[in-house]
Amino acid sequence: MRPAPPEWLIQYGLNRANVNAVHTGECWAAAKSGRCRPATRHQAMEALRQQVPACVPCRPDTALGIVD
C-alpha cells in the first residue's frame, strides 16, 4: 500500500540551495519538475512569508489562507 502524498511541497533549484516555489501535494507542476521535497504546513507557510513564490496552478497561498 502506498503512503499518502505529502500535503505540501517545496521546489528547490538546480543547486538544491535555492527555494523556487511552494506547491500543494497534488500539484501537477510539482510532479513534473522532479525537484520537490515534502514539507510541513509550517514550512510551507514560512517559505511563503519569506517571499518564496507560490505555484500559480495550485495556489498554495490561498489553500493556506495567506493571500495579500
Side-chain angles (χ1 to χ4, degrees):
M1 197 170 180
R2 285 185 168 177
E7 198 170 347
W8 310 103
L9 297 167
I10 294 181
Q11 179 179 334
Y12 291 90
L14 294 174
N15 66 0
R16 303 257 183 211
N18 299 333
V19 178
N20 290 347
V22 178
H23 300 271
T24 61
E26 298 146 359
C27 180
W28 61 268
K32 203 173 179 184
S33 80
R35 294 182 305 200
C36 293
R37 300 278 183 219
T40 64
R41 180 180 179 88
H42 177 72
Q43 290 170 327
M45 290 180 76
E46 193 59 35
L48 290 169
R49 286 187 183 126
Q50 292 179 8
Q51 305 302 317
V52 173
C55 173
V56 175
C58 68
R59 301 305 307 172
D61 51 349
T62 303
L64 288 165
I66 303 173
V67 181
D68 292 333

